[in-house]
């Protein structure tokens, strides 16, 4: 099976390098791009992450917000009809847009659910990255049969696999996709920028630094010779791959 993969940019935000990279003193500006990803060519479209809703864009001062559902529509996918959405992790910018997917089952690592409905709520350093209402909703969805808890490595579509790496969050998972160009690895926030993986340079937002570093190794192992690594928030994604229309980056 050979799949097509797109990164869809739906918002941007400006920060400084010292607010983001581990032990970084530089005040240089840093722009985050917000993406979700879609895998086409299988028995049904597979979406990776949900983005966030308009209210959250305002609260967190993200600009150029476009509805993730609108971005999916531009590649021919109706968000309301997507049957499976794989959730890399439960931070606000990856799980806040669950409402765009009323027909989806959400695949989440067991450890991720346990962390954010438990320890994550106990400390401000973690709380600031979550939306409590969205986590409460996750409990309701779970009781409605719409959450699939996965553990470790799992096949999501034929040949498409999700892999627990942890590090940035307790149950962070990355995705490996066979394509005509070779194997694509969607790292989500296992590597926010190319700088992270290419210099083994972590970010400040971690639950385990050793896991984050090991995650970089895992990404390299999965990508192998193809080097088709799609990181989570780097504007560089649109330059390394093909931005076919504003916000729509064709990976393979
Ligand atoms: Zn993120």
């Amino acid at each position: 099976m050979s799949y097509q993969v797109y990164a869809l940019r739906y918002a941007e935000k400006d920060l400084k390098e010292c607010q983001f990279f581990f032990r970084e003193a530089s005040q240089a500006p840093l722009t985050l791009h917000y993406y979700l990803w879609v895998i086409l060519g299988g028995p049904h479209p597979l979406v990776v992450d949900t983005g966030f809703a308009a209210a959250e864009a305002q609260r967190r001062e993200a600009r150029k917000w476009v509805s993730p559902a609108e971005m999916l529509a531009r590649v021919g996918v109706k968000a309301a009809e997507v049957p499976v959405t794989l959730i890399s992790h439960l931070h606000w910018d990856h799980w806040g847009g669950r409402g765009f997917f009323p027909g989806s089952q959400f695949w989440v690592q067991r450890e991720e659910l346990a962390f954010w409905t438990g320890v994550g709520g106990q400390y401000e350093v973690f709380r600031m990255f979550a939306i409590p209402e969205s986590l409460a909703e996750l409990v309701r969805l779970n009781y409605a049969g719409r959450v699939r808890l996965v553990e470790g490595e799992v096949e999501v579509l034929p040949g498409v696999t999700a892999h627990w790496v942890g590090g940035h969050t307790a149950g962070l998972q990355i995705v490996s996709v066979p394509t005509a160009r070779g194997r694509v690895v969607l790292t989500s926030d296992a590597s926010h920028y190319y700088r992270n993986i290419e210099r083994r340079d972590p970010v400040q937002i971690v639950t385990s630094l050793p896991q984050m570093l090991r995650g970089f190794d895992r990404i390299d192992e999965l990508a192998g010779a193809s080097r088709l690594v799609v990181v989570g928030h780097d504007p560089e994604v649109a330059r390394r791959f093909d931005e076919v229309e504003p916000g729509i980056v064709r990976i393979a």
Side-chain angles (χ1 to χ4, degrees):
M1 192 77 78
S2 181
Y3 296 92
Q4 300 88 54
V5 183
Y6 290 88
L8 306 174
R9 183 176 66 243
Y10 65 90
E12 302 180 15
K13 184 175 172 162
D14 294 316
L15 288 172
K16 292 176 178 170
E17 287 191 349
C18 61
Q19 295 174 294
F20 206 77
F21 296 105
F22 194 74
R23 292 181 181 152
E24 171 61 71
S26 166
Q27 299 276 333
L30 182 74
T31 299
L32 266 101
H33 281 181
Y34 292 89
Y35 303 95
L36 67 161
W37 302 270
V38 62
I39 298 160
L40 304 175
H44 57 75
L46 174 66
V47 173
V48 178
D49 291 345
T50 68
F52 53 79
E56 205 61 23
Q58 211 165 23
R59 194 175 324 158
R60 308 248 183 184
E61 295 177 337
R63 52 185 167 77
K64 295 189 183 175
W65 181 85
V66 180
S67 161
E70 164 64 23
M71 294 310 293
L72 282 165
R74 289 191 204 167
V75 292
V77 173
K78 291 185 175 127
E81 294 174 7
V82 171
V84 175
T85 303
L86 184 79
I87 304 302
S88 70
H89 64 304
L90 292 169
H91 275 172
W92 68 279
D93 52 325
H94 299 260
W95 175 238
R98 74 211 170 277
F100 298 119
F101 302 90
S104 252
Q105 187 178 54
F106 300 104
W107 292 33
V108 184
Q109 286 278 334
R110 183 183 296 269
E111 245 184 282
E112 187 69 2
L113 181 79
F115 183 88
W116 290 103
T117 52
V119 174
Q122 301 274 308
Y123 302 100
E124 180 54 23
V125 289
F126 297 127
R127 278 201 288 262
M128 61 193 293
F129 299 108
I131 308 170
E133 299 73 29
S134 79
L135 298 169
E137 177 68 11
L138 184 60
V139 174
R140 280 190 285 272
L141 289 166
N142 186 27
Y143 275 73
R146 288 186 51 202
V147 174
R148 175 142 167 188
L149 288 182
V150 300
E151 224 167 339
E153 185 179 322
V154 63
E155 188 169 61
V156 192
L157 292 175
V160 177
T161 47
H163 305 257
W164 172 90
V165 293
H168 175 62
T169 66
L172 179 75
Q173 55 187 343
I174 62 176
V175 186
S176 165
V177 189
T179 74
R181 291 186 64 198
R183 191 157 281 276
V184 167
V185 179
L186 303 175
T187 75
S188 184
D189 292 358
S191 183
H192 294 72
Y193 287 83
Y194 285 104
R195 164 174 166 173
N196 300 125
I197 180 155
E198 289 172 4
R199 298 192 217 164
R200 295 298 196 259
D201 184 2
V203 296
Q204 297 171 11
I205 308 161
V206 288
T207 56
S208 163
L209 204 47
Q211 282 174 8
M212 176 167 278
L213 292 163
R214 170 73 190 123
F216 296 147
D217 297 342
R218 191 76 185 104
I219 292 164
D220 279 344
E221 284 163 18
L222 287 167
S226 82
R227 308 298 310 138
L228 296 173
V229 173
V230 182
V231 298
H233 287 276
D234 198 335
E236 180 75 12
V237 168
R239 292 186 281 270
R240 293 197 184 190
F241 296 94
D242 185 15
E243 186 163 7
V244 290
E245 299 177 29
I248 298 178
V249 184
R250 183 166 50 208
I251 306 298

